[in-house]
Amino acid sequence: MLTSRTFLKRTRAGAVVKVVREHYLREDIPCGAAACRLCPPRPAGAGRGLEAQPSGAASSLCPGPHYLLPDTNLLLHQIDILEDPVIKNVIVLQTVLQEVRNRSAPVYKRIRDVIQNPEKHFYSFTNEHHRETYIQQEQGESSNDRNDRAIRVAVKWYSEHLKKIEDEEKIQVIFLTNDRTNKEKALEEGITAYTCEEYIKSLIANPDLVDRLACVSDEGKEIESGKIIFPEHIPLSKLQQGIKSGVYLQGTYRASRDNYLEATVWVHGDAEENKEIIIQGLKHLNRAVHEDIVAVELLAKDEWVALSSVILQDDGQNEDDIENEEEKENILKTSVNKDMLRPTGKVVGIIKRNWRPFCGMLSKSQIKEARRHLFTPADRRIPRIRIETRQADTLEGQRIIVAIDGWPRNSRYPNGHFVKNLGSAGDKETETEVLLLEHDVPHQPFSQGVLSFLPKMPWSITEQDMKYREDLRHLCVCSVDPPGCTDIDDALHCREVENGNIEVGVHIADVSHFIRPGNALDEESAKRGTTVYLCEKRIDMVPELLSSNLCSLRSNVDRLAFSCIWEMNHKAEILKTRFTKSIINSKASLTYAEAQMRIDSTTMNDDITTSLRGLNKLAKILKKKRIDNGALTLSSPEVRFHMDSETHDPIDLQTKELKETNSMVEEFMLLANVSVAQKIYEEFPEFALLRKHPAPPPSNYDILVKAAKSKNLEIKTDSAKALAESLDKAESPEFPYLNTLLRILTTRCMMQAVYFCSGMDNDFHHYGLASPIYTHFTSPIRRYADIIVHRLLAVAIGADSTYPELTDKHKLADMCKNLNYRHKMAQYAQRASVAFHTQLFFKSKGIVNEDAYILFVRKNAVVVLIPKYGLEGTVFFEEKGKPTPRLDYNNEVPSLTVEDTTLHVFDKVKVNIMLDASNIQHQKIRMVLVEPKV
C-alpha cells in the first residue's frame, strides 16, 4: 500500500517545484512476540524478539505477563534503567528510535546495542511502515504531538493484536511515559500507562533499581531552602543570535584541576584574539561542566583577571555554604601584575552538554537515614553530584558510576542518579576499570562480529599472498624491542651491496593485509585508534591473534611485511628508496640490552651482530644530521616498575635507562616515516594522512626563559634550531642536572603533535623533528593511523586497490580528529596508571627521604621533581597559625618566601615522600619539605 504527500518547494534559484514524497505501507511487518502465529517471521537486526512468556521482574502494578513500550523522552533519560538486566521484553518503536537518533547519538548507540543483546528480548517494531499503525500529521498538529499520537496508536494496536493470540494467559502492553499530558491521553484512550518511577517502584524484588532513576524534572528536585544561586541560562535561540552578532562567544569549557572556582573557555573559530577566556567565581561559571560547549559574554576590561596561582579544592562539607565560596573567591582577586591580565568572561548559556557517566565515590551524608548524598567524581574537574540512594551503607568505600540529570539554579551541585557499582576502592582491578572509563578507552572484549573477520587457523602464506610481494626471507633481518614485547611491529636489516654502498631495510608488519577496509574488524580498530599500554595491562587495538601472533614479526617464522629499503653511502646519504610488500623471516627477536651487548662484544662477529653494528654506525650519523638541522632532544622522566611475581605489586621503581640501541631503532623508524610521508604526499597531495607538530607560541616559553634567566642562562626560542643550540649550551659544572631540568621544562612548553589530512591544511612542518613532512608508518599493530598510511602507500606502488573513504579528505579529517583524541586519552591513561602504581609502591615504603628539584613556584606551594623516581609532586605551605607564604617576582622570575626561607625555581631541596590515604577517593603522594627547614 502506498501513501504520498505533495508539497511545493522553492529552489535556490527562485523557481517553485512540486515535490511528491511516497511512503510505503505494509501488512507483513511482524509484532515480534514469540507466541504469535498471525505474523510472519522477524527480520534480521530487529532483535531476538519478545518472549512467549515474559520473564521480566514481578510488578505489584501489573502482576500478569507484560511487555513494556517506552516513549522517546523516557528512552532518552532512563537509558540506564532500560539497560539493567532486570528490564526485559521491551518494544522499541521506529518513531522513538528515529527521534532518539536525531537527539542523542550516544543514547541511540546504546539502545541499538541493547536491541542486539539476545538476553534482553528488546524488539524494534517498524510502526511507521505498518498499515495499521502509521498515521499522518493532522493540520495544526505539531511534529511532537503527531509522534506522541503515533506511539499511542502503536500501543493500542499491540494490545488488540496480542488479544488475538490463542494462549492461556493474555499478555498486556504497558506504556511508559513521564509526559503528564501523554499519560492522561493514553489513560483516556484505555491504554495502561505508568510513569517510569511508578513502574520501577512497583518491582517487588528489585528495590535498588529506584536508585538508577534519572531526576528528569529539575524543578521537582530543587532543594527546599531554594535560594537562587546561579543566573538563568539564556535560551538557545537567543544565544545563537548573540553569537552571530558577536555579543557572545562560543567555546569549549575547560574546568581547572587545581582550582574549582576557575575555568577557561577555548573559543571556536579563527579569531586569534580572545582565543582563551578566563572564567572565575561560582556565579560566572554558572553550572557549566568540563567539556560543555558554552556561550560566554566578555566582561569589561577593568574586570579582567589573571589565572590564579592558588590551589583550591572543593571540600564540599556543606553543599549550601555559599558564604564560604564567596570568601574563597576573594582570595583569587588578590592584586596581580597588569601584564598578566587576560580576557575574562562569564557563562551565559549552554549550547551543548557533554555529560558522560562519571566514576567516583559516595560521600555519605552525616544525617541519619538520609537518602540524599553527595558523590565525588574521580576527575577533580567535575563538580560533586547530588544523588538519592537507599544503598549508601553498601556503596560507602566503593567506586561507583553516576550520571548527571540536571542542574537547577538554586542548587550548589547538579542532580544525578546511581548507575553502577564497580568494586572496592583501592582494588587493582577496580582502579584499572575506573582509569579506563575515565579516559574513555574502549576496552570491552572484541565482539564475535569483529572476531569473525580474523583469518581461520591454521594460517599459512598462500600463492595469492605472494602475488605482489618480494621474497626477502634470505635477508638477515632482526627486531629490537623492550623486554617482554609480543606485538613486534618492526624489524631491520643492513648489508653491504656489490657497489660498496649499504642497503638498509625497515620491515613493518603488514597489518593492512589482514584488516580490510569497511569490515567490522576495521571499524573497531578505527574506533580504538591506538593500543593503550598500562603498567600491567595492554588494551589492544587489534585482536591478540593479530597483535601477538600473525602480524608480530617474531623470529624464525615467515611473516608478511611492508618494507622500506634504502641504498645509502657510508655518510648515511640516501641514494635510492623503494617500497615493496614482502615476506620476511626474522633471524632474532632481541631486547635493547641484548642488541647493545652484541654491538659492544669483542668476540661476536656473526651476521646479526655485523648488521646491528652497521645500523648503529649509520644511526649515529643520521642523528647528528637531524640535530644539526634543529631537531630537539627533550627529556621527560619515564619510570619502570619491577613487579612482585606473585602479588603483582610494584617492589621497585626506577627511571628508564635508554641505550644506544634505543636511539638506533628510533633513527630508522623516523627515516622510514619521513620517506613514506614524501611518497604518499607526492602520490596523493589531497589525501595523505600526515603528522605535524606545530611550533609553540612564544608565550609558551615564558616559564622556561625566566627559569633559565634565574641561573644566568639565556634560552633562545626564535627557532627550533636556536632552542636546541641554547639548550646544548645551558650547562652548569656545579649543577649537572640543570640541563635535564631545562629539557623537562621545554617539553612542557611544546604543543601536541597531531594527525591531519594534507588536503585540509597547509602547515606540514614537524617542529620537534625539524622535518618539513612526517607521518606514522612503523607501528600498524598499535596505531590505526599507520594502517591508513599503509593503504595509501600500497595504492601508490600498485600493490592494492583504493576505496572511496581513502580519497575523501573530509572523512580522513574526521578520522584524524578521532585518532588525535584517542592518542591524547591513551597518554593520560598511561600517566594515571603510573600514578596509581607509584601510590602502591609508596604504600609499602612508609616515609621515604629523597633529593628533589623545584620545577614551579605557586602562591601557596612548590612543584618538585624527584629524579630517582621520575616523580613529580606538590609541597603545600598553608598550616594554620603560620604566616602566609609570599609570592615575589624578581625580574619576572617567581620565588616563594615561607617564613624566613625563600625558594626559587631549580633549587635543590630534600623532601619526605609518603602516601596520604586520608581521602580514599583521591589517595595521593604527599611531600613535605625537610631541607631547607621552613
Side-chain angles (χ1 to χ4, degrees), residues 105 155 691 745:
V155 178
R691 187 162 176 84
L745 270 192

Side-chain angles (χ1 to χ4, degrees), residues 152 156 175 177 180-195 198:
R152 293 195 303 276
K156 210 159 187 186
F175 178 40
T177 178
R180 196 182 304 147
T181 313
N182 206 5
K183 186 187 170 191
E184 283 168 4
K185 284 183 180 175
L187 292 171
E188 281 169 18
E189 292 166 17
I191 295 168
T192 307
Y194 298 112
T195 65
E198 285 169 342

Side-chain angles (χ1 to χ4, degrees), residues 154 182 195 425 449 532 574 599 621 667 856:
N182 206 5
T195 65
V532 182
I574 297 171
I599 289 167
I621 302 168
E667 285 308 316
F856 304 105

Side-chain angles (χ1 to χ4, degrees), residues 714-837:
E714 187 187 6
I715 299 288
K716 291 181 179 170
T717 60
D718 36 338
S719 70
K721 190 170 170 62
L723 176 61
E725 285 172 355
S726 51
L727 282 171
D728 288 341
K729 289 176 192 164
E731 299 280 357
S732 172
E734 66 278 1
F735 189 178
Y737 197 66
L738 176 64
N739 193 265
T740 306
L741 287 171
L742 286 167
R743 288 180 194 276
I744 289 169
L745 270 192
T746 308
T747 307
R748 307 291 165 87
C749 303
M750 291 297 134
M751 305 291 282
Q752 189 85 27
V754 289
Y755 296 111
F756 69 101
C757 172
S758 58
M760 304 289 277
D761 209 323
N762 47 24
D763 173 22
F764 293 9
H765 192 73
H766 197 294
Y767 181 80
L769 296 172
S771 176
I773 194 166
Y774 191 68
T775 193
H776 271 164
F777 163 76
T778 54
S779 293
I781 294 177
R782 59 187 178 88
R783 290 189 307 230
Y784 188 77
D786 303 51
I787 293 178
I788 296 296
V789 169
H790 276 227
R791 288 174 181 168
L792 287 164
L793 185 61
V795 175
I797 64 167
D800 207 342
S801 52
T802 186
Y803 58 99
E805 285 79 10
L806 196 64
T807 52
D808 183 330
K809 62 183 179 181
H810 296 285
K811 284 195 174 156
L812 278 172
D814 286 344
M815 184 188 290
C816 289
K817 199 174 173 183
N818 177 57
L819 293 176
N820 292 330
Y821 170 72
R822 292 293 178 204
H823 276 261
K824 183 174 73 175
M825 284 313 193
Q827 280 182 328
Y828 291 162
Q830 285 154 9
R831 285 178 206 163
S833 179
V834 168
F836 174 62
H837 281 79

Side-chain angles (χ1 to χ4, degrees), residues 668-930:
F668 287 107
M669 296 306 116
L670 293 175
L671 192 62
N673 287 336
V674 170
S675 296
V676 171
Q678 288 165 343
K679 178 70 178 174
I680 61 171
Y681 178 60
E682 188 183 295
E683 201 72 28
F684 303 106
E686 289 288 298
F687 318 118
L689 191 153
L690 303 175
R691 187 162 176 84
K692 67 172 180 175
H693 182 213
S699 60
N700 276 31
Y701 288 121
D702 287 354
I703 194 157
L704 172 70
V705 171
K706 288 168 187 175
K709 204 174 179 182
S710 70
K711 295 291 175 191
N712 299 317
L713 294 168
E714 187 187 6
I715 299 288
K716 291 181 179 170
T717 60
D718 36 338
S719 70
K721 190 170 170 62
L723 176 61
E725 285 172 355
S726 51
L727 282 171
D728 288 341
K729 289 176 192 164
E731 299 280 357
S732 172
E734 66 278 1
F735 189 178
Y737 197 66
L738 176 64
N739 193 265
T740 306
L741 287 171
L742 286 167
R743 288 180 194 276
I744 289 169
L745 270 192
T746 308
T747 307
R748 307 291 165 87
C749 303
M750 291 297 134
M751 305 291 282
Q752 189 85 27
V754 289
Y755 296 111
F756 69 101
C757 172
S758 58
M760 304 289 277
D761 209 323
N762 47 24
D763 173 22
F764 293 9
H765 192 73
H766 197 294
Y767 181 80
L769 296 172
S771 176
I773 194 166
Y774 191 68
T775 193
H776 271 164
F777 163 76
T778 54
S779 293
I781 294 177
R782 59 187 178 88
R783 290 189 307 230
Y784 188 77
D786 303 51
I787 293 178
I788 296 296
V789 169
H790 276 227
R791 288 174 181 168
L792 287 164
L793 185 61
V795 175
I797 64 167
D800 207 342
S801 52
T802 186
Y803 58 99
E805 285 79 10
L806 196 64
T807 52
D808 183 330
K809 62 183 179 181
H810 296 285
K811 284 195 174 156
L812 278 172
D814 286 344
M815 184 188 290
C816 289
K817 199 174 173 183
N818 177 57
L819 293 176
N820 292 330
Y821 170 72
R822 292 293 178 204
H823 276 261
K824 183 174 73 175
M825 284 313 193
Q827 280 182 328
Y828 291 162
Q830 285 154 9
R831 285 178 206 163
S833 179
V834 168
F836 174 62
H837 281 79
T838 305
Q839 289 171 13
L840 287 180
F841 172 73
F842 282 107
K843 191 176 184 177
S844 58
K845 289 280 179 228
I847 297 175
V848 179
N849 183 271
E850 284 297 340
D851 287 341
Y853 292 98
I854 296 175
L855 276 183
F856 304 105
V857 172
R858 302 277 186 250
K859 200 166 190 172
N860 55 346
V862 290
V863 178
V864 298
L865 174 78
I866 292 136
K868 182 177 176 181
Y869 300 125
L871 180 66
E872 213 174 285
T874 307
V875 179
F876 288 95
F877 305 104
E878 45 187 19
E879 287 179 51
K880 283 184 179 172
K882 289 206 172 183
T884 308
R886 191 178 77 248
L887 185 64
D888 296 311
Y889 288 89
N890 181 18
N891 286 335
E892 298 184 343
V893 179
S895 64
L896 189 70
T897 303
V898 186
E899 295 190 42
D900 299 325
T901 306
T902 303
L903 302 167
H904 307 86
V905 174
F906 296 156
D907 278 0
K908 188 176 182 179
V909 294
K910 262 200 185 307
V911 293
N912 277 344
I913 314 162
M914 68 212 80
L915 180 69
D916 179 0
S918 59
N919 179 343
I920 191 166
Q921 155 92 330
H922 290 121
Q923 289 194 28
K924 58 186 177 191
I925 302 296
R926 187 160 164 258
M927 297 188 186
V928 178
L929 198 66
V930 179

Side-chain angles (χ1 to χ4, degrees), residues 259 262 306-311 332 857-861 887 889:
N259 188 336
E262 188 169 75
L307 278 174
S308 170
S309 52
V310 175
I311 295 174
L332 304 181
V857 172
R858 302 277 186 250
K859 200 166 190 172
N860 55 346
L887 185 64
Y889 288 89

Side-chain angles (χ1 to χ4, degrees), residues 43-170:
R48 189 174 170 187
L50 308 158
E51 291 176 297
Q53 281 302 312
S55 63
S59 162
S60 59
L61 282 175
C62 27
H66 58 270
Y67 299 145
L68 301 174
L69 196 154
D71 71 359
T72 307
N73 281 328
L74 193 131
L75 201 149
L76 278 167
H77 297 298
Q78 306 293 354
I79 184 70
D80 290 322
I81 290 277
L82 294 171
E83 284 177 330
D84 193 280
V86 168
I87 306 298
K88 294 180 178 180
N89 294 291
V90 175
I91 301 159
V92 183
L93 298 180
Q94 180 190 3
T95 308
V96 170
L97 265 182
Q98 283 172 345
E99 278 198 280
V100 168
R101 187 179 196 169
N102 292 335
R103 286 168 62 182
S104 173
V107 174
Y108 178 73
K109 187 190 179 304
R110 285 168 73 181
I111 195 64
R112 292 295 326 175
D113 289 345
V114 174
I115 292 167
Q116 296 306 322
N117 181 349
E119 290 169 17
K120 292 280 285 171
H121 296 282
F122 274 49
Y123 179 67
S124 169
F125 177 63
T126 318
N127 66 306
E128 294 290 355
H129 290 280
H130 194 290
R131 189 170 66 86
E132 292 182 46
T133 56
Y134 171 74
I135 60 160
Q136 288 199 339
Q137 191 169 347
E138 293 173 354
Q139 203 167 0
E141 186 179 39
S142 70
S143 299
N144 194 44
D145 287 346
R146 180 261 168 209
N147 287 346
D148 284 348
R149 188 162 59 87
I151 294 166
R152 293 195 303 276
V153 165
V155 178
K156 210 159 187 186
W157 177 83
Y158 255 105
S159 298
E160 296 300 321
H161 180 75
L162 294 175
K163 281 177 190 170
K164 297 173 190 171
I165 297 171
E166 292 175 15
D167 206 12
E168 290 172 27
E169 205 171 357
K170 297 298 175 196

